[in-house]
Amino acid sequence: MSSESSESSDGVTGAADVTGGTEVTGATEVTGGTEVTDVTAHRVPLRSLLFVPGSRTGWLPKAEAAGADAAILDLEDAVPEDGKAAACEAVAAAVDRAAGTPPGPMRLLVRINALDRAAGWQGADELRAVARPGLYGIVLPKVSGPEDVTTADRLLAWCEREHGLPEGHFALLPLLETARGLREAYAIGRAAARIAHLGAVAAPGGDVERAVGYRWSPEGEETRELRARVLLDARAADRPHPVAGLWADVADLAGLRRFAEQNRALGYEGMAVIHPSHVPVVNKVFSPDAEELARCRRLIAAVERAQAEGAGAVRFEGRMVDEAMAATARETLARQAGGCGPGDEFHRDPES
C-alpha cells in the first residue's frame, strides 16, 4: 500500500496535539479466542486516518488542522531505505512529544516495516523504539496470517510492561496486503484482542492489486466483494471499528466521496487517506448528519410508544419498524455522543 506525501500548498501551522490510547486498568474478560481488557473494549471509531511520512513529523500540525481523527507516521513505503533510521528517531521523538502534551482529538499511530526475519527484524526494532506513552497504536504491514499478529502482540505486550502501561494499551492495525492475509482475515482478527480498525485497503497499483491481480477502477466494482468479505470477517471476529481505503487521486474529491460512501454503505466506519484535503470529505461521509440523528430519535420514540401499547412493531414514516431497528438507532446515537458527531466534529473523552 502506498503512502503518498501529506504536503499541500496550504501552510497550516500550529502545535501538534496528539495522544495515545486509554490508560484504563481492570479485569480481563475472555471471549472466544481473544482476551478483551477494559482498554481494548474502549477503542473509538476513527473516521479518517491520515498517512504522514515518518521523515516529515513536522507535518503533524497540518494533519490535526485538517481534522484527522488519527495520523499514521509511516516508516515503511514513505521513507527510503537510507533514511529509515533517522526517520525512526524522529518518529520516536514525536511520540514523546505527544506523551507530554495535553490529550487532544487526534490519535497517533506508526506504520513500521514488516516483521520479517529475512530483513533482519528491522520492523521489530522500530516497534520497540516507538511503542511508548503517547502512541495509540501500531500499523503492521504485509500481514499474511495469525502468526504475524501473535509476534507483534507479544512485542507490544513486552513494551507495555517496560513502560508501565496496562495490557492492551497499544492498538494493533494489521494491513492485509497479501492474498493469504486477505483470505485469513477472520483468523487474523481473532489472533489478538488489541486488534482494531481491521479492514481491506485497496489502492491502484499497490500491494493488494499486485497480490490479487484485479484491475483497479474509480467505480471500485472489482474490489467491492473483497472489501465486503473482509468487513464480514472483521465483524465476525468482533474487531471494533473497521476501516477501508485508499483513494489515491489527490484532486478528485468527488471520486473520493463516492468511494467513501460505498465503503460506508458496506459497513465500514472510516478510511485511511493520503492527503489533508481528503480528511473533511471522509469525516463528513462517516458522520451521521443532523437529519439522520433526528430520525433515529423519532424512530426510537415511535417504537417505545408502540411497546407501551403492547405492540411489537409499528408503521413509521412509511416503513414497518420494531425493536431491532430501534436498537440500531440507539447505537447510532450512542456513537454520536461518544465519538462521531454531526458534520466534521468529533467529540471524545480526553481519557479515551
Side-chain angles (χ1 to χ4, degrees):
M1 182 175 68
S2 174
S3 169
E4 298 187 15
S5 168
S6 295
E7 182 176 21
S8 72
S9 58
D10 299 326
V12 181
T13 59
D17 191 8
V18 291
T19 181
T22 317
E23 294 191 19
V24 181
T25 59
T28 298
E29 176 187 359
V30 180
T31 58
T34 59
E35 291 184 347
V36 180
T37 67
D38 288 346
V39 176
T40 57
H42 286 84
R43 303 291 182 208
V44 296
L46 299 176
R47 301 167 300 172
S48 53
L49 299 88
L50 176 62
F51 277 100
V52 177
S55 54
R56 296 290 185 267
T57 58
W59 292 354
L60 282 173
K62 189 176 297 184
E64 185 188 24
D69 289 344
I72 302 175
L73 287 169
D74 189 7
L75 292 173
E76 195 205 19
D77 292 342
V79 181
E81 194 62 41
D82 60 0
K84 288 187 185 292
C88 186
E89 292 181 5
V91 167
V95 174
D96 284 340
R97 288 193 296 272
T101 304
M106 188 173 75
R107 262 59 174 178
L108 186 61
L109 298 99
V110 175
R111 176 163 74 166
I112 61 172
N113 284 273
L115 297 178
D116 185 357
R117 184 190 301 270
W121 293 106
Q122 177 184 18
D125 291 337
E126 292 168 347
L127 184 150
R128 181 178 178 185
V130 304
R132 56 180 67 193
L135 185 74
Y136 173 72
I138 289 291
V139 179
L140 184 64
K142 308 295 190 299
V143 173
S144 291
E147 63 278 6
D148 295 333
V149 169
T150 300
T151 300
D153 182 49
R154 289 172 178 171
L155 290 171
L156 287 170
W158 187 90
C159 292
E160 286 160 350
R161 288 194 296 271
E162 183 180 42
H163 291 286
L165 299 170
E167 182 180 358
H169 176 90
F170 299 119
L172 180 62
L173 199 167
L175 294 182
L176 310 178
E177 299 174 289
T178 68
R180 183 188 166 209
L182 291 161
R183 180 68 178 81
E184 298 195 20
Y186 174 78
I188 288 169
R190 295 296 292 170
R194 70 175 71 247
I195 290 177
H197 318 297
L198 179 66
V201 179
D207 295 314
V208 177
E209 181 174 336
R210 185 172 63 254
V212 177
Y214 60 77
R215 293 186 177 181
W216 185 90
S217 72
E219 294 74 27
E221 292 300 325
E222 68 287 340
T223 62
R224 185 197 296 265
E225 184 176 347
L226 174 65
R227 286 177 281 136
R229 180 186 170 280
V230 172
L231 175 71
L232 180 60
D233 285 339
R235 295 293 192 190
D238 200 26
R239 296 301 89 208
H241 313 307
V243 299
L246 190 73
W247 189 257
D249 191 329
V250 173
D252 186 5
L253 299 184
L256 166 67
R257 183 177 294 105
R258 288 192 299 271
F259 186 60
E261 289 171 346
Q262 187 182 90
N263 285 314
R264 179 65 190 92
L266 289 174
Y268 283 99
E269 299 182 22
M271 273 183 55
V273 296
I274 62 167
H275 195 270
S277 65
H278 290 189
V279 170
V281 176
V282 168
N283 281 353
K284 185 172 183 179
V285 170
F286 288 98
S287 299
D289 60 24
E291 173 52 33
E292 181 181 354
L293 296 171
R295 184 180 185 278
C296 286
R297 296 185 185 98
R298 295 196 304 271
L299 188 152
I300 293 167
V303 171
E304 290 178 349
R305 282 196 302 270
Q307 291 172 341
E309 296 169 0
V314 64
R315 185 170 179 174
F316 169 74
E317 298 181 1
R319 297 182 180 181
M320 295 303 297
V321 298
D322 57 20
E323 177 56 32
M325 290 74 170
T328 300
R330 291 189 192 98
E331 183 175 293
T332 298
L333 293 176
R335 285 188 55 200
Q336 183 272 337
C340 298
D344 293 333
E345 297 177 356
F346 191 78
H347 309 284
R348 180 183 290 123
D349 185 334
E351 292 300 320
S352 68

